[in-house]
Amino acid sequence: MARSIDCASDSSVKNVALDTLFLIVLQAAVVIALGKFIHLGLRRHNLPSATSQIIVRGDHRGSLGLHDVIVHVDVENAEDTYGRYVSEARIFYMFYVGLEADVAALWNDMRRATIFTYASVATCLLLAAFVSGGMYGSMMHTPVRSPELLAAVLMLSIADTASVDVSRMASEMGLAATPSGRLVVATAIATNIICIVGEGVFSCMKLASSRTPDYSAPQRLGLGILALVKVGIAVSLLRPVVAFINRRNAGRHRVGNWELVLLLFAVSCIGNFPQRVGFDGMPVSLLLGLAFPREGPVARSIIDTLAYPLHALALPFYFGAMGMRLNFSAMSGAILVPAILLTLLGLIGKCAGTMGAARFLKMPTADALRLGVLLNIKGHVNMIDMRFASSEGIWAEQALMAMVVGSMISTIIAGPVFAVVFRKEKEAYECSHQALEHMATDQELRMLACVHGARGTPGMLSLLELLASKPRAQPTIHVLHFFDVARKDDAPRQYHQRAQDSEHKHMSRRKDATTQVNWAVDVFTCATGLVIRQIDAGDRGSAVNAKAIRRWTEDVRSGILLIPYHKEQHYDGTMVCRREDRRQLNLKVLEGAPCTTAILADRPFRRSGTSFQLPTKISTSTEAAGNQGDEKVTTHVAAVFLGGPDDREAVALACRLAKNESVRLTVVRFVLRESTDDRVATTSADIDGEVSVVVDDPDEECVSEFQREYVAKERAAYAEKAVTGPMDVVEALRGMAGAYALVVVGRGERQPAELVVGLEGWAECAEVGPVGEILASDESLEMGSVLVVQQKTVPPFHFDFAAASSGELTP
């Protein structure tokens, strides 16, 4: 999008007196501090911080009168001085948004986002074009320019959505991982890019040639194409350069300071390629972030470096810049009334488009209305368009103020709407029945895994790899690492604490546990193509850690939570408890888990076959190749089924594992010998009589569906073991040693009593149940890893509401 940046670049800091520059910096600091103070009161109502920052900025310029202190710079010049830094903030923040974006999740929502984008943009363009004729006389000076320019600028201004504002508010409210949040962010970014491209085309036309008097329209077009070529070359060189820096810093938690500065300088230069010739650099910076490699110490360093300055300093000043032209004490009806009308015009256009799209996608109308209000957010992007329209005589200064106030009103209105969406998404997640049993195996599954150190990380990452059968469609996987805060070396060290002593550089690479976990994550990311994001948190006891796990589970909207068993395997096969507080942590997590929870008892010293230590693509195991004749199958998995919701959830999880080509699944069902004879007789009678019997037992339905979808299609195997009592169950479970690399079982407590009565003596650890304890405590080096699954329990009072809420929020 073409921008009037010439005056912004001309009014640089060199034309501002030093005392005035000091007051400008002081003014920015006061605005940020006041915004944070006011947000303390608004936060309890779940309102985003942008609301308080915009209000503070306008009130600061109005009633507080600090602008009168800055005597050397008037309002216009101060805005031009700020504009240069606001543009830099936009470049770095959109790069940060692209780097943090869950590309796979956004891709899964592309169809919905595309429909909403085109529908909302089209209705706004048509509506603005229709009303521009009636607004021409009231917004123009004496006739200087044609009404076509007014229609073009008004169409772009009303159709545009401030993607920076929407992305920041959604991220702050924790909505980036929710279906509604992903949809509004993707639609806002797509809408913003369409309007930027439209304005770029408009600026290259002869009609707007006076906008850039130094260049003709063909020259403008040539400069734009040249800027795109430069950006393409830079993006193509990005991956090899980042890969080279990652290799230089292999095994390190962060890259060096000079390498970090060089990379950030390159991001700024590439983002400014279009802006140097008068176009907007937002799409370029977003593309740069999306194309940036997410594995290795480079991505970690950039994310950690940009997060605090952007969120704490740059963005508050960015939102405050929206109100810098306004003086609330001088407002009059001649400005407020047109501002309200323009805001309503944008709301009508956006809501009409989203309602039409929602009707096509069969979504609730209330969700469409909320989405339309959020897409009407106008930010600093439109300020430059409005200023251009005023300088070109397209509309009067009074109309310009009305447009500015309208943009602020639309942004402030979005705050309560975001709060409503946040509350509905939170209630839907907490109250909905988050069970794999009721999800289709091809439905996306968001995963959160917890690790306590580098020892158990490879096994956990191997399990995550098997669950993600399609890496390109798998949303970002989050790994929560608890490091020991008692040991200073294990905590992530700051840059000033990591002196790069050349003599000891290679010796200190693998000292701290965080770096070792980083290395394991980097290896699996490069080998599997998955996007794995590591979160480091201090180990502060079972109670605090349980709260942290629940908070992160809700933030990432995880469908399954994976935690490690409190015992670790010794080299001789025995399972040793090193820290008792981890058992208490697992019990607390199981009590209040908001989703399906699985405990992994990793056995890395398994003597034969596959052990979960390497990605399947580089694994040298041939466990199943000789038996099955299929070289793709490297991992044998068994699911033990006795009955009950936890066992059904274990089978559902095992079916997701079976989607991976390297997994061969076998479901082993334990039944009483008497009930087996009865079921065989009933089944034969049904077959002879050709009568279809509908079974109400959910266990039978689960087994029937598995046989129909997997066994009949030769995607898995099914076996029944007839037992007469608990001792037969124990013997059969121990007989699985050596046959399977992973055994998936239900935690129990809701299994058939006739199969588990008498097994309480083996249930020393309540976190895994009797069946899981029998398998996990086996001291044989042939026994594979054990995964114990617990289905989330939802109170009956909330179940109907949850179903209704989930129906509202998903198409």
Side-chain angles (χ1 to χ4, degrees):
M1 179 173 64
R3 296 296 184 203
S4 296
I5 63 170
D6 295 332
C7 48
S9 59
D10 294 339
S11 297
S12 58
V13 180
K14 64 182 181 181
N15 294 328
V16 180
L18 290 179
D19 57 341
T20 303
L21 180 61
F22 171 76
L23 290 176
I24 292 175
V25 174
L26 178 61
Q27 183 184 22
V30 172
V31 167
I32 293 174
L34 285 178
K36 290 182 179 296
F37 178 76
I38 293 180
H39 184 60
L40 294 177
L42 299 180
R43 185 173 56 185
R44 67 185 62 182
H45 303 291
N46 295 323
L47 293 176
S49 59
T51 303
S52 60
Q53 289 156 4
I54 293 173
I55 295 175
V56 166
R57 188 63 179 182
D59 186 67
H60 201 183
R61 300 297 301 272
S63 58
L64 295 185
L66 184 60
H67 171 62
D68 298 333
V69 180
I70 307 178
V71 295
H72 297 287
V73 182
D74 59 15
V75 176
E76 299 294 334
N77 290 334
E79 181 181 350
D80 292 338
T81 303
Y82 294 149
R84 184 173 182 179
Y85 302 103
V86 169
S87 298
E88 287 293 327
R90 289 185 66 241
I91 288 176
F92 279 106
Y93 184 71
M94 292 312 298
F95 169 75
Y96 180 83
V97 169
L99 189 58
E100 283 271 302
D102 193 343
V103 180
L106 293 177
W107 182 264
N108 295 339
D109 280 340
M110 176 170 287
R111 178 175 177 268
R112 292 197 304 162
T114 302
I115 294 174
F116 274 102
T117 299
Y118 286 131
S120 60
V121 171
T123 52
C124 287
L125 293 178
L126 293 175
L127 183 62
F130 178 76
V131 302
S132 61
M135 301 175 64
Y136 177 71
S138 60
M139 301 185 72
M140 279 286 295
H141 292 296
T142 55
V144 178
R145 305 286 291 172
S146 62
E148 288 81 2
L149 277 177
L150 172 63
V153 174
L154 191 63
M155 289 166 65
L156 292 174
S157 298
I158 292 179
D160 195 16
T161 300
S163 57
V164 175
D165 304 50
V166 175
S167 301
R168 170 56 183 158
M169 291 182 182
S171 176
E172 182 182 353
M173 301 293 292
L175 297 173
T178 63
S180 299
R182 290 188 324 203
L183 178 61
V184 68
V185 170
T187 306
I189 292 176
T191 301
N192 202 185
I193 292 177
I194 289 176
C195 293
I196 287 173
V197 173
E199 190 172 353
V201 174
F202 167 72
S203 67
C204 295
M205 299 172 58
K206 292 183 179 180
L207 185 65
S209 59
S210 63
R211 182 170 186 174
T212 53
D214 296 337
Y215 300 100
S216 62
Q219 288 176 332
R220 294 266 312 155
L221 181 60
L223 290 174
I225 295 175
L226 180 60
L228 290 179
V229 172
K230 291 181 181 179
V231 170
I233 295 175
V235 172
S236 63
L237 295 176
L238 179 66
R239 184 167 290 275
V241 171
V242 174
F244 172 75
I245 299 177
N246 280 332
R247 287 194 299 269
R248 278 179 49 87
N249 295 272
R252 300 185 67 87
H253 190 66
R254 300 286 190 271
V255 300
N257 290 341
W258 69 270
E259 293 169 324
L260 179 64
V261 172
L262 183 63
L263 288 170
L264 294 179
F265 178 75
V267 170
S268 177
C269 291
I270 297 173
N272 277 298
F273 281 161
Q275 295 201 166
R276 290 193 184 97
V277 293
F279 294 90
D280 195 296
M282 191 280 286
V284 172
S285 56
L286 178 65
L287 175 63
L288 191 62
L290 292 174
F292 201 90
R294 286 161 169 78
E295 68 276 2
V298 172
R300 284 194 299 270
S301 302
I302 292 180
I303 290 177
D304 293 345
T305 302
L306 292 180
Y308 182 78
L310 285 176
H311 293 153
L313 301 175
L315 287 179
F317 187 73
Y318 171 87
F319 288 114
M322 291 185 60
M324 66 190 310
R325 295 182 59 96
L326 299 179
N327 189 340
F328 287 170
S329 61
M331 286 292 172
S332 63
I335 295 178
L336 291 177
V337 173
I340 295 175
L341 293 178
L342 290 172
T343 303
L344 293 176
L345 184 64
L347 286 174
I348 292 173
K350 293 290 186 181
C351 292
T354 55
M355 289 177 64
R359 183 178 181 85
F360 176 77
L361 295 172
K362 298 180 180 180
M363 289 180 59
T365 304
D367 288 350
L369 289 174
R370 285 190 290 267
L371 181 61
V373 175
L374 298 181
L375 291 178
N376 194 45
I377 294 178
K378 312 296 181 184
H380 185 76
V381 178
N382 278 7
M383 300 297 175
I384 307 175
D385 293 334
M386 299 169 194
R387 197 172 59 195
F388 158 71
S390 178
S391 63
E392 292 293 321
I394 297 178
W395 52 46
E397 183 70 18
Q398 183 174 326
L400 170 63
M401 290 296 102
M403 291 290 291
V404 175
V405 174
S407 297
M408 292 183 60
I409 292 175
S410 62
T411 306
I412 293 175
I413 289 176
V417 178
F418 263 117
V420 173
V421 175
F422 170 78
R423 187 183 69 252
K424 291 183 66 64
E425 289 283 2
K426 184 177 180 179
E427 292 176 350
Y429 181 74
E430 291 179 349
C431 301
S432 63
H433 197 14
Q434 296 284 338
L436 304 181
E437 178 187 0
H438 306 299
M439 295 173 58
T441 54
D442 56 350
Q443 185 176 347
E444 72 171 29
L445 177 64
R446 306 186 68 88
M447 295 181 283
L448 173 66
C450 300
V451 295
H452 296 287
R455 177 187 176 94
T457 301
M460 190 67 73
L461 294 178
S462 297
L463 178 59
L464 294 172
E465 179 199 2
L466 295 180
L467 284 171
S469 57
K470 297 179 180 179
R472 292 187 177 182
Q474 173 62 43
T476 299
I477 300 173
H478 294 78
V479 175
L480 180 58
H481 169 226
F482 289 104
F483 59 86
D484 190 358
V485 295
R487 294 178 56 191
K488 205 169 184 180
D489 313 283
D490 293 345
R493 292 174 290 174
Q494 302 296 326
Y495 280 95
H496 65 276
Q497 297 173 335
R498 291 181 286 103
Q500 297 184 5
D501 188 355
S502 58
E503 182 179 355
H504 303 284
K505 180 177 180 181
H506 298 283
M507 298 295 295
S508 61
R509 284 189 171 182
R510 305 185 185 123
K511 280 188 176 180
D512 62 285
T514 300
T515 301
Q516 295 180 20
V517 174
N518 292 153
W519 204 344
V521 170
D522 293 342
V523 169
F524 274 84
T525 300
C526 296
T528 62
L530 295 172
V531 179
I532 304 175
R533 186 161 299 161
Q534 179 179 336
I535 306 165
D536 296 312
D539 188 351
R540 304 185 182 277
S542 59
V544 177
N545 292 348
K547 293 179 181 178
I549 291 175
R550 181 177 179 86
R551 183 178 67 253
W552 279 106
T553 304
E554 294 175 349
D555 287 346
V556 304
R557 293 301 192 270
S558 178
I560 182 171
L561 171 63
L562 301 171
I563 54 179
Y565 192 38
H566 76 279
K567 292 183 179 181
E568 298 178 353
Q569 188 183 28
H570 200 253
Y571 67 90
D572 61 354
T574 58
M575 301 296 289
V576 181
C577 177
R578 301 187 184 276
R579 292 184 57 176
E580 180 65 22
D581 59 337
R582 292 181 181 175
R583 185 176 71 89
Q584 298 296 330
L585 170 63
N586 291 348
L587 291 175
K588 292 180 182 297
V589 171
L590 290 171
E591 288 176 2
C595 63
T596 296
T597 307
I599 298 178
L600 175 63
D602 187 23
R603 304 176 70 92
F605 297 105
R606 187 180 182 222
R607 181 175 298 168
S608 62
T610 304
S611 62
F612 286 174
Q613 297 301 307
L614 293 174
T616 55
K617 292 185 178 180
I618 60 177
S619 176
T620 58
S621 172
T622 57
E623 174 185 7
N627 298 329
Q628 301 296 329
D630 188 356
E631 296 182 355
K632 292 183 178 180
V633 177
T634 60
T635 306
H636 264 190
V637 176
V640 177
F641 186 83
L642 280 75
D646 289 346
D647 282 23
R648 295 197 300 270
E649 194 76 352
V651 172
L653 180 60
C655 290
R656 284 188 172 269
L657 293 171
K659 287 286 187 178
N660 198 305
E661 295 180 351
S662 62
V663 173
R664 177 68 178 176
L665 172 63
T666 301
V667 172
V668 181
R669 184 181 187 185
F670 290 88
V671 294
L672 289 176
R673 192 175 301 277
E674 295 80 2
S675 62
T676 303
D677 298 336
D678 295 340
R679 287 194 307 108
V680 170
T682 304
T683 304
S684 61
D686 291 342
I687 295 177
D688 294 339
E690 296 183 356
V691 177
S692 176
V693 180
V694 178
V695 182
D696 294 332
D697 187 0
D699 292 341
E700 295 297 334
E701 292 180 359
C702 175
V703 173
S704 300
E705 183 179 359
F706 173 76
Q707 292 177 332
R708 181 173 61 254
E709 296 295 332
Y710 290 89
V711 179
K713 299 178 182 179
E714 299 183 353
R715 295 160 57 185
Y718 175 77
E720 283 190 357
K721 290 186 179 293
V723 295
T724 57
M727 295 307 300
D728 290 347
V729 174
V730 175
E731 183 179 355
L733 291 174
R734 291 179 173 173
M736 292 183 174
Y740 305 101
L742 177 67
V743 181
V744 186
V745 301
R747 186 189 178 200
E749 298 182 358
R750 290 174 284 181
Q751 295 169 330
E754 59 272 14
L755 291 177
V756 297
V757 63
L759 296 180
E760 295 81 1
W762 281 272
E764 297 180 3
C765 303
E767 58 183 309
V768 294
V771 177
E773 177 65 20
I774 293 171
L775 294 170
S777 62
D778 194 296
E779 297 183 359
S780 171
L781 289 174
E782 304 295 330
M783 179 63 73
S785 300
V786 181
L787 186 66
V788 183
V789 183
Q790 173 186 277
Q791 187 182 86
K792 176 189 175 182
T793 303
V794 180
F797 175 79
H798 295 290
F799 183 78
D800 294 336
F801 174 78
S805 299
S806 60
E808 278 188 0
L809 295 174
T810 56

